[in-house]
């Protein structure tokens, strides 16, 4: 809690300056894993935005592929070439280039699905928590049923019902992911609506829709930041599993998971690099996201302060 | 306050109001046949112990009874029009503009994420067509009126930058800014330090008098009410046990429950050096409102209770209202089979 002393008139400071002077930033600087996590995530973001301009080939432009260069080992092994740092796969695709393009698909899926799940789950959670009654019961029972299935199984089921494709993957992930938001938001909404400022807003004649958007929503957002961050990592993993199982993204838009699958057939023939490197990158990405999420959870949870 | 208004039409007339809650534990008759009139500009104290249904009367008037509660019967006439059972849209026009409400806890009564200027102006934006500049000017004026120093700067501050008393001043400013005709204050000073309770009561009274606003002061603090109110209504278990002019009720309570409440006020006696007296209290607890005994609900705690009290429900009756000359707003009524004698 900030001191309730009357504070002197705030000097004009930019948002940026205030951020760098904040306790949040101070704690961040001293937290090694938080810095590491955010650097990893930042690295991935840079890689997927400007990476395609740097790598030597577009692995999905057939004209750029050289079949003669198939299954080249990484550059530091015998037979490797400095042109393909991490080696090539069976079609002569540069593994590093594939990873750059694949990370892009994986991250986009993770972020968009997270956004969709967050929007859907938050809306339902707000409605359930604010209005209560039958609506609440219906929404939360659906959520309970949803939670009783492993998320990969649910997604797998949906994919097999709707077919494969990028949009279908997103739908599957959103249907799996909204529940966390709905539960978190419903809980905080119940707590916030007890508070008198919500009563006061009702008493002042504000319509319910406005009370929810203006007064309740901003006060339940904080815990969502943590959930959302960690969920991007979870979604990247689920998507990888789906693609690995052959019901994920199409081969023309390969994600990191699909890259692992592509190399899996030859994994035990000693051509390990085709699968292992994409796998390592998934691990690194999810690791970075989770480090960041852990820091945010510690920082934004008032009970741990 | 009491001059020249006693013959005008009441601003608020509550008749046989019944607000019941259908809980799993049974039917809770939180408000059970309550009637009172409130004249324009009148301040009425609504007194009783916790769980007596005081707040539910306020919420009923506001139309904010949520399921499992329901207004089961009765009328709430505001300005001649029955507002019990109005639709949510119709009620919204009245809330905040015609009838405002103040709550108990200033710590949670303001949204922590918005500046207080923002929150004061919200009501204005909702109920008036003022421009942003005019709203700001009004907000500053209002903050000034409720005694907040440097209102221009304070507008851009957040609730956590205010002390409890200052926050309650802001809450009062928000309630009064649309110049409502009725202010319902639900335990407005209970959560505050004793030292500033009186200040805020005085402020509220001054605001209400200035605007000619009527006020219902809901509280368990008879001492506060006795300083503020023109009339007092005493509630017990959802029913009115006594009502009448404030001085009359304080000086000559007729109902044993009212007497008990008055005796529980710690008073400063003239002979301060004398032996300290134990504060008197009403024996027993408020009964479970779902399982009220037959007859008078207060009978189990009442020293004067007779067999009749345990059988027959007393009705609210005017007991030869004391002729105090002119200017008395209401006759003194009490629901008791054995009312206390009027001591000279």
């Amino acid at each position: 809690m900030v001191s309730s002393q009357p504070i002197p008139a705030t000097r004009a400071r930019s948002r940026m300056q205030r951020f760098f002077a904040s306790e949040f930033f101070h704690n961040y600087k001293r937290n090694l894993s938080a810095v590491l996590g955010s650097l990893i995530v930042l690295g991935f973001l840079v890689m997927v935005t400007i990476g395609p301009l740097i790598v030597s080939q577009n692995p999905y432009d057939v004209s750029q592929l050289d079949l003669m260069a198939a299954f080249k080992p990484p550059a530091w092994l015998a037979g490797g070439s400095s042109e393909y740092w991490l080696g090539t796969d069976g079609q002569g695709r540069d593994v590093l280039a594939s990873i750059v393009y694949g990370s892009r698909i994986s991250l986009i899926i993770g972020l968009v699905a997270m956004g969709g799940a967050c929007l859907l789950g938050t809306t339902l959670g707000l409605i359930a928590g604010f209005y209560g009654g039958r609506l609440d019961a219906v929404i939360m029972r659906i959520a309970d049923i949803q939670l009783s299935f492993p998320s990969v199984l649910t997604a797998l089921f949906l994919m097999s019902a709707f077919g494969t494709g990028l949009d279908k993957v997103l739908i599957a992930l959103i249907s799996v992911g909204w529940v966390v938001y709905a539960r978190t938001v419903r809980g905080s909404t119940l707590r916030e609506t007890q508070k008198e400022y919500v009563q006061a807003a009702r008493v002042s004649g504000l319509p319910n829709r406005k009370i929810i958007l203006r007064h309740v929503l901003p006060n339940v957002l904080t815990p969502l930041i943590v959930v959302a961050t960690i969920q991007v990592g979870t979604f990247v993993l689920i998507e990888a599993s789906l693609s690995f199982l052959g019901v994920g993204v199409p081969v023309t838009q390969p994600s990191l998971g699909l890259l692992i699958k592509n190399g899996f057939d030859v994994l035990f023939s000693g051509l390990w690099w085709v699968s292992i490197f994409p796998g390592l990158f998934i691990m690194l990405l999810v690791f970075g996201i989770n480090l960041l999420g852990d820091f945010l959870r510690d920082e934004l949870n008032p009970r741990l302060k | 306050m009491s001059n020249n208004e006693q013959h005008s039409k009441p601003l608020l007339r509550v008749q046989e109001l019944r607000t019941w809650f259908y809980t799993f534990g049974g039917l809770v008759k939180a408000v059970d046949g309550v009637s009172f009139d409130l004249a324009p500009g009148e301040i009425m104290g609504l007194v009783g112990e916790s769980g007596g249904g005081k707040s539910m009367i306020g919420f009923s008037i506001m139309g904010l009874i949520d399921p499992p509660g329901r207004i089961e019967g009765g009328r709430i006439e505001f300005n001649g029009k029955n507002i019990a059972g109005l639709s949510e849209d119709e009620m919204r026009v009245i809330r905040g503009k015609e009838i405002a409400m103040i709550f108990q806890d200033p710590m949670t009564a303001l949204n922590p994420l918005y500046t207080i200027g923002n929150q004061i102006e919200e009501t204005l934006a909702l109920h008036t067509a003022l421009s942003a500049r005019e709203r700001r000017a009004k907000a500053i004026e209002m903050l000034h009126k409720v005694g907040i120093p440097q209102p221009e700067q304070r507008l851009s501050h957040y609730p956590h930058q205010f002390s409890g008393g200052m926050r309650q001043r802001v809450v009062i400013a928000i309630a009064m800014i649309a110049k409502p005709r009725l202010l319902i204050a639900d335990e407005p000073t209970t959560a505050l330090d004793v030292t500033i309770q009186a200040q805020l009561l005085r402020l509220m009274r001054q605001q209400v008098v200035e605007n000619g606003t009527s006020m219902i002061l809901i509280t368990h603090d008879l001492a506060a009410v006795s300083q503020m109110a023109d009339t007092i209504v005493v509630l017990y278990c959802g029913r009115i046990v006594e009502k009448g002019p404030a001085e009359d009720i304080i000086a000559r309570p007729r109902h044993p429950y009212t007497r008990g409440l008055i005796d529980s006020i710690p008073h400063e006696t003239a002979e301060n050096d004398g032996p300290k007296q134990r504060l008197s209290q009403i024996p027993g607890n408020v009964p479970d409102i779902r399982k009220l005994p037959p007859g008078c609900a207060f009978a189990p705690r009442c020293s004067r209770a007779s067999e009749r009290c345990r059988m027959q429900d007393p009705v609210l009756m005017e007991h030869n209202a004391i002729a105090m000359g002119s200017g008395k707003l209401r006759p003194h009524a009490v629901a008791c089979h054995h009312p206390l004698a009027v001591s000279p």
Side-chain angles (χ1 to χ4, degrees):
Chain A
M1 201 59 195
V2 188
S3 120
S4 56
Q5 296 298 314
I7 61 160
T10 33
R11 267 160 285 128
R13 280 193 303 175
S14 72
R15 248 165 220 277
M16 210 56 178
Q17 279 170 317
R18 256 183 296 166
F19 175 75
F20 284 122
S22 69
E23 191 185 335
F24 180 83
F25 187 69
H26 176 80
N27 288 346
Y28 167 79
K29 271 187 307 190
R30 293 158 56 114
N31 188 328
L32 188 66
S33 56
V35 174
L36 184 65
S38 52
L39 282 182
I40 292 174
V41 173
L42 199 67
F44 265 91
L45 290 176
V46 171
M47 180 174 93
V48 301
T49 42
I50 65 169
L53 304 174
I54 295 171
V55 291
S56 56
Q57 55 161 233
N58 176 353
Y60 298 95
D61 179 357
V62 185
S63 65
Q64 292 185 26
L65 298 185
D66 177 9
L67 270 179
M68 298 306 288
F71 292 132
K72 280 219 184 282
W76 60 90
L77 292 180
S81 131
S82 62
E83 203 184 332
Y84 307 111
W85 279 5
L86 300 181
T88 61
D89 72 359
Q91 271 91 47
R93 286 192 202 102
D94 181 9
V95 170
L96 181 62
S98 303
I99 287 173
V100 169
Y101 279 81
S103 304
R104 175 155 34 185
I105 302 280
S106 285
L107 260 181
I108 288 176
I109 289 177
L111 288 171
V112 173
M114 179 273 281
C118 186
L119 199 67
L120 180 68
T122 306
T123 311
L124 290 176
L126 280 171
I127 292 174
F130 191 84
Y131 291 102
R134 210 161 290 166
L135 210 54
D136 177 29
V138 171
I139 293 174
M140 293 330 284
R141 286 311 78 72
I142 295 177
D144 287 342
I145 294 170
Q146 171 83 79
L147 276 183
S148 62
F149 291 100
S151 41
V152 175
L153 188 67
T154 315
L156 197 61
F157 172 74
L158 289 169
M159 297 299 293
S160 57
F162 294 132
T164 57
L166 202 57
D167 49 342
K168 314 290 193 317
V169 174
L170 289 176
I171 292 176
L173 290 178
I174 291 173
S175 347
V176 165
W178 68 274
V179 182
V180 219
Y181 299 98
R183 293 196 134 200
T184 316
V185 169
R186 175 181 174 268
S188 337
T189 303
L190 283 178
R191 202 176 49 240
E192 290 302 316
T193 41
Q194 296 300 313
K195 294 196 179 155
E196 285 177 351
Y197 71 84
V198 175
Q199 293 291 341
R202 292 180 76 189
V203 160
S204 72
L206 215 60
N208 282 339
R209 191 175 43 83
K210 277 195 180 172
I211 297 178
I212 293 177
L213 290 180
R214 241 183 85 77
H215 290 287
V216 182
L217 179 62
N219 280 298
V220 301
L221 276 183
T222 314
L224 291 192
I225 298 173
V226 181
V227 177
T229 311
I230 297 196
Q231 196 176 57
V232 175
T234 319
F235 277 171
V236 167
L237 280 180
I238 296 180
E239 185 280 322
S241 315
L242 290 177
S243 291
F244 184 80
L245 293 170
V247 291
V249 291
V251 279
T252 49
Q253 291 168 305
S255 64
L256 289 174
L258 196 59
L259 295 182
I260 299 179
K261 178 188 160 62
N262 287 344
F264 185 68
D265 301 333
V266 292
L267 182 60
F268 297 108
S269 326
L271 307 171
W272 51 270
W273 57 87
V274 189
S275 269
I276 296 297
F277 287 120
L280 285 177
F281 271 83
I282 290 187
M283 197 209 77
L284 191 66
L285 174 59
V286 176
F287 178 63
I289 290 174
N290 285 350
L291 284 183
L292 200 59
D294 277 349
F295 166 70
L296 289 176
R297 188 187 54 211
D298 294 348
E299 206 47 38
L300 299 178
N301 186 347
R303 252 171 292 169
L304 295 177
K305 287 244 165 180
Chain B
M1 294 300 303
S2 48
N3 43 22
N4 73 36
E5 269 159 6
Q6 69 269 38
H7 295 303
S8 55
K9 264 180 47 186
L11 174 73
L12 179 75
R13 164 165 278 175
V14 175
Q15 282 178 317
E16 285 299 314
L17 176 67
R18 291 196 303 277
T19 304
W20 292 357
F21 286 78
Y22 297 87
T23 68
F24 290 114
L27 178 62
V28 176
K29 298 179 177 178
V31 181
D32 193 21
V34 165
S35 308
F36 58 84
D37 285 1
L38 190 67
E42 180 183 337
I43 300 180
M44 188 186 94
L46 204 52
V47 191
E49 279 168 287
S50 312
K54 298 169 302 194
S55 300
M56 285 309 140
I57 292 180
F59 281 114
S60 302
I61 296 171
M62 274 295 187
L64 286 175
I65 298 291
D66 287 324
R70 223 172 80 193
I71 295 186
E72 201 52 53
R75 294 171 66 80
I76 301 170
E77 273 174 35
F78 180 72
N79 223 4
K81 183 180 165 208
N82 186 14
I83 59 168
L86 278 192
S87 76
E88 182 67 17
D89 283 337
E90 292 168 299
M91 252 347 264
R92 263 211 312 273
V93 184
I94 296 175
R95 282 185 210 140
K97 183 162 171 51
E98 304 277 340
I99 310 179
M101 195 161 176
I102 295 175
F103 295 100
Q104 178 173 351
D105 188 0
M107 302 320 256
T108 63
L110 297 166
N111 189 327
L113 297 179
Y114 296 107
T115 64
I116 61 139
N118 198 316
Q119 299 187 54
I120 297 177
E121 290 170 36
E122 185 176 51
T123 313
L124 283 179
L126 205 60
H127 296 294
T128 66
L130 296 177
S131 70
R133 182 188 294 262
E134 290 167 317
R135 289 203 297 265
R136 189 180 146 82
K138 273 223 157 189
I140 292 175
E141 183 196 330
M142 199 65 220
L143 280 187
H144 184 73
K145 274 190 190 164
V146 296
I148 288 181
Q150 297 174 298
E152 293 88 352
Q153 279 111 63
R154 292 301 248 169
L155 269 191
S156 55
H157 286 183
Y158 289 86
H160 69 81
Q161 293 165 309
F162 289 78
S163 67
M166 281 296 163
R167 277 187 225 195
Q168 200 66 324
R169 283 173 193 266
V170 174
V171 170
I172 294 172
I174 293 175
M176 293 303 293
I177 194 150
K179 299 210 186 319
R181 311 191 42 188
L182 171 61
L183 175 68
I184 302 173
D186 190 352
E187 307 258 6
T189 57
T190 308
L192 298 175
D193 286 351
V194 185
T195 45
I196 46 181
Q197 283 184 1
Q199 270 182 31
L200 276 155
L201 286 173
R202 220 173 300 132
L203 171 69
M204 259 186 287
R205 185 180 172 106
Q206 172 209 332
Q207 282 300 312
V208 167
V209 170
E210 224 168 79
N211 290 304
T213 304
S214 303
M215 174 168 165
I216 299 180
L217 177 65
I218 300 172
T219 181
H220 59 255
D221 183 1
L222 249 184
V225 167
S226 63
Q227 295 161 19
M228 291 271 293
D230 303 313
T231 48
I232 291 180
V233 169
V234 184
L235 278 181
Y236 190 73
C237 290
R239 295 185 173 205
I240 295 180
V241 295
E242 186 165 13
K243 65 177 176 183
E247 318 87 270
D248 208 33
I249 292 222
I250 299 292
R252 282 171 291 276
R254 306 293 312 275
H255 198 282
Y257 179 61
T258 315
R259 161 105 260 166
L261 286 180
I262 293 171
D263 287 345
S264 337
I265 306 174
H267 26 220
E268 217 175 324
T269 42
E271 53 274 14
N272 255 344
D273 316 324
K276 296 256 190 293
Q277 279 191 333
R278 245 189 113 81
L279 210 53
S280 75
Q281 56 173 26
I282 304 175
N285 289 310
V286 180
D288 186 342
I289 202 160
R290 289 167 303 194
K291 305 186 200 86
L292 282 187
C296 175
F298 187 61
R301 303 172 70 185
C302 182
S303 59
R304 302 166 67 85
S306 67
E307 210 39 53
R308 186 179 169 208
C309 298
R310 295 189 189 90
M311 314 276 291
Q312 190 189 358
D313 224 348
V315 286
L316 196 64
M317 282 201 302
E318 288 177 20
H319 271 256
N320 45 356
I322 303 110
M324 292 280 290
S326 58
K328 279 292 148 270
L329 287 162
R330 303 268 181 279
H332 191 149
V334 62
C336 184
H337 293 309
H338 310 290
L340 297 161
V342 181
S343 47

